[in-house]
Amino acid sequence: MQSFNHNKSRDLGDILTDTFQYVRIYYPTLGKGLLFFVLPLYIVQAFLLQGYSDQIMSSIFQPNDFSMFETFFSGRYILSIFLSMVAYAMLTIVALKHMQLTNADEIPDPSDLLDGVLPLLIKLAILYIILFFIIILSAFFFFFPALFFGIRLSLAPTSLVLENLSIGKSISRSWELTEGFWWATFALFVIMYIIVIFSSYAFILPATILSIFFVDTGTVTDANLFSTIITSFMALSTAFASLFVVILHLSFGLQFFNIVERKEGGGLRSKIEGLID
């Protein structure tokens, strides 16, 4: 298998190129992790959320039906939100633990990606909740403070997984690393987010076109069967589309290595220590 150098300085173009290079090299092992541990969670969550959306739309078209408000407190809705958090945290863990293992010159086995996964899931869930409230609270002071804090704290999940830090230390580590690299990290986020959105449409758009085709041609006359087919297509396409977020995590992982190399000379230090050993 072709080697990949994690610890080196990269400009924005290098990070974009190397993100997809990383996927090209390691897609067999990375893909297994996503397929086994992440995709099932997104599929279940997508079906739950799709059913919830159908219920909301049904209530909207019935003016005297106030059951829509009850769905916000339904067990199905709460479960879908919980699964969404778990799926996203699991996606983060698979991407970054894979990067952590390959940085140690290991070929990750799916079981390796689950090593210590429960504590990591709990820590990441708490971290994401903290980051969410920080950004929401800063948003009350207009848009730019929220954007500023969001970028300064964007490497916290990466630091938590790659360096096995605590929640508090990962937040301070992200704040320290992004100092002087705010604009570069912001540009990376914008570009990768656009790529993720357009890549996701590769799965979502066909399902949408298919549903329009069924409506226009009258292929399916049974309303219940039609709803089931469309719900299934949309749920599955949304689940697969969600996996594209992995490239966002990989790119931020490379940005993490890039900043550490520039600020602390991690790669050079590792080579010196290797010569001493």
Side-chain angles (χ1 to χ4, degrees), residues 201-242:
Y201 282 135
F203 284 94
I204 297 176
L205 192 59
T208 304
I209 294 174
L210 188 61
S211 64
I212 295 173
F213 173 79
F214 282 152
V215 171
D216 289 343
T217 60
T219 305
V220 179
T221 56
D222 188 323
N224 292 329
L225 177 59
F226 172 76
S227 177
T228 301
I229 292 175
I230 297 305
T231 297
S232 300
F233 272 118
M234 291 301 296
L236 289 172
S237 61
T238 302
F240 277 101
S242 300

Side-chain angles (χ1 to χ4, degrees), residues 65-268:
D65 185 1
F66 298 98
S67 61
M68 174 181 68
F69 300 101
E70 299 176 3
T71 60
F72 286 106
F73 304 99
S74 67
R76 184 175 192 171
Y77 176 67
I78 294 173
L79 180 59
S80 68
I81 295 299
F82 173 77
L83 277 177
S84 177
M85 291 178 58
V86 172
Y88 190 81
M90 196 66 205
L91 177 65
T92 306
I93 290 172
V94 168
L96 295 177
K97 275 190 72 72
H98 190 281
M99 186 167 274
Q100 182 187 52
L101 290 168
T102 54
N103 187 42
D105 294 325
E106 298 181 27
I107 299 177
D109 186 80
S111 60
D112 297 331
L113 300 176
L114 288 183
D115 185 27
V117 69
L118 185 57
L120 267 178
L121 273 175
I122 295 172
K123 287 168 64 176
L124 270 176
I126 296 173
L127 175 61
Y128 280 131
I129 291 172
I130 292 174
L131 296 181
F132 173 78
F133 279 108
I134 290 176
I135 294 172
I136 289 297
L137 289 175
S138 60
F140 284 107
F141 299 94
F142 304 106
F143 174 73
F144 290 105
L147 182 62
F148 173 78
F149 281 107
I151 298 300
R152 288 300 299 268
L153 301 177
S154 60
L155 293 181
T158 309
S159 302
L160 187 146
V161 177
L162 291 182
E163 295 186 320
N164 297 313
L165 299 180
S166 65
I167 296 172
K169 287 183 178 179
S170 66
I171 292 175
S172 60
R173 179 66 164 159
S174 177
W175 191 269
E176 169 195 338
L177 289 175
T178 52
E179 183 177 0
F181 287 87
W182 190 93
W183 283 108
T185 307
F186 170 71
L188 176 64
F189 172 78
V190 170
I191 294 172
M192 293 307 299
Y193 188 78
I194 292 173
I195 292 174
V196 168
I197 291 298
F198 279 96
S199 299
S200 300
Y201 282 135
F203 284 94
I204 297 176
L205 192 59
T208 304
I209 294 174
L210 188 61
S211 64
I212 295 173
F213 173 79
F214 282 152
V215 171
D216 289 343
T217 60
T219 305
V220 179
T221 56
D222 188 323
N224 292 329
L225 177 59
F226 172 76
S227 177
T228 301
I229 292 175
I230 297 305
T231 297
S232 300
F233 272 118
M234 291 301 296
L236 289 172
S237 61
T238 302
F240 277 101
S242 300
L243 298 183
F244 281 102
V245 179
V246 73
I247 64 174
L248 183 63
H249 289 299
L250 294 176
S251 67
F252 270 72
L254 293 181
Q255 175 71 338
F256 172 86
F257 287 116
N258 166 51
I259 297 176
V260 169
E261 180 67 25
R262 290 174 182 270
K263 286 191 170 186
E264 302 170 5
L268 178 60

